[in-house]
Amino acid sequence: MRLIETQSKETLSRWEIDYCQQVIVPLWCKYYPYDQRPQNALNGAREWLTGAIKLTQAKPIILECHAAAREAEGNPVAQASARAIGHCASTIHSAQHCIGLAFYGAIAVAYEQLGTDEPFAEIEQFAAQECGRMEGA
């Protein structure tokens, strides 16, 4: 949180979009390769950052990503991935949304690497390590 508080929402958004594009979007696409709503959310956030669209135009696109997350119930990797992407894209609205990447993105990576049947302490430890990798990215 201390790091987040020192950055603008534009800086946070750019960093998160890049990270999600490289790490989180492939997790979503592994399970839902034809559902472009998470990618569209990132694209909408990018367009807002360049001034190509207004926030009122980006919001519905981002909300569709959140809908994709709800529809992915039963697939923890995909659901956490879409939630991470949705929060990442929502950072253009409020910098505090970026914490969603740490929560959902890290758990998506942990679930993908370890599965969901591992003891939660191991999953949590892996997720914490992923948060460290995020911070270093």
Side-chain angles (χ1 to χ4, degrees), residues 3-14 91 95 98:
L3 181 61
I4 291 167
E5 292 169 351
T6 66
Q7 304 299 314
S8 70
K9 68 181 176 184
E10 290 82 4
T11 298
L12 292 167
S13 292
R14 284 184 177 88
T91 301
C98 75

Side-chain angles (χ1 to χ4, degrees), residues 14-27:
R14 284 184 177 88
W15 168 77
E16 285 193 321
I17 290 168
D18 289 345
Y19 180 86
C20 276
Q21 195 67 59
Q22 293 173 14
V23 178
I24 307 299
V25 169
L27 297 179

